[in-house]
Amino acid sequence: IEGLAGSIARAPFVAGEPIRQAKLVNAKGAGFMAAILPSGKRAVSIGVSPETGASGFILPNDHVDVVLTRRDREAEKATGTEVHVSDTILSDVRVLAIDQTVEEKNGQKVVVGKTATLELTPRQVETIELSRQIGTLSLALRSITDVGKGKAKIEDDSGARKSINVVRFGVSTVTT
C-alpha cells in the first residue's frame, strides 16, 4: 500500500477493518515519538553542545550517562575558593533522537546538534528537571559493549575521585 511504509498503528486493528490514515502514525509525522516510546517511559529533551554532547558523535539508539556539573557551595565556604563537582546522575540511558545539522565552519562541514531526546522513567525525568536548575548537564557516550551493564566500573581501586589542580588568578588549589 503506497504511503504506508514505515507507519505505526495508533490503535489495534480488527480483522477485516479497513486501514485508514487516521489510525496510523507516519515515521516522519507528528506523534511518531509517542508511538515508538515503550510503555511507562517518557521522552525528555535536553540541550547539548559539542562540549556537552560528545562532539556530535551521539546518535539515536546510543546509550549515554548523564553528568551534572555544579558549584559546591558548602566546599566553597570551607575553602574560600570556587569549587565545582561532577556526578553521574543517570546511567545507561537510551537516546531516542538527536537533532543534527551539518554546518560549515572554517571551510569544513561539521555535524552540530543542539538537543538530545532521552528515554527516561518518570523518576528520571524528575532527576533531570531538578538537575537543570542546579548546574550543567552533559552526556557521556557509552561503548556498545557497556550497554545494559548499569554504572561504569570505577577504574581506581580506592573508589576515590582523583584530584585536580585549579589555578585561578595565580592562586593554586587542589580539588577533588
Side-chain angles (χ1 to χ4, degrees):
I1 300 174
E2 192 174 319
L4 298 180
S7 295
I8 297 174
R10 286 185 194 269
F13 282 92
V14 226
E17 178 182 357
I19 297 174
R20 297 174 306 153
Q21 195 66 36
K23 282 191 97 173
L24 299 174
V25 177
N26 188 293
K28 293 180 179 145
F32 184 74
M33 185 62 68
I36 65 165
L37 197 60
S39 177
K41 296 288 187 168
R42 308 293 184 265
V44 173
S45 295
I46 66 168
V48 293
S49 66
E51 296 81 20
T52 62
S55 297
F57 288 106
I58 297 173
L59 299 171
N61 288 317
D62 281 344
H63 284 244
V64 296
D65 291 343
V66 181
V67 179
L68 169 65
T69 302
R70 62 180 174 78
R71 286 180 70 175
D72 187 339
R73 305 286 183 191
E74 293 299 316
E76 287 178 3
K77 286 179 190 174
T79 63
T81 60
E82 190 173 300
V83 177
H84 288 85
V85 294
S86 287
D87 294 302
T88 300
I89 57 169
L90 299 175
S91 237
D92 202 10
V93 172
R94 185 170 84 120
V95 176
L96 294 170
I98 191 146
D99 74 322
Q100 293 183 327
T101 56
V102 177
E103 294 181 5
E104 193 166 314
K105 289 191 180 182
N106 301 326
Q108 291 189 325
K109 290 185 178 184
V110 293
V111 177
V112 179
K114 293 187 175 116
T115 358
T117 304
L118 307 177
E119 178 186 278
L120 304 173
T121 65
R123 184 75 178 143
Q124 289 173 323
V125 171
E126 293 168 1
T127 300
I128 288 285
E129 293 306 321
L130 178 61
S131 298
R132 281 189 224 241
Q133 302 303 312
I134 34 184
T136 303
L137 296 176
S138 301
L139 301 179
L141 180 61
R142 294 179 69 99
S143 166
I144 288 176
T145 60
D146 290 340
V147 171
K149 294 183 180 174
K151 290 196 180 224
K153 189 176 172 184
I154 297 172
E155 297 299 323
D156 184 346
D157 287 341
S158 67
R161 295 179 190 202
K162 299 192 188 255
S163 61
I164 58 169
N165 187 29
V166 177
V167 179
R168 188 174 206 104
F169 305 112
V171 178
S172 179
T173 355
V174 175
T175 42
T176 57

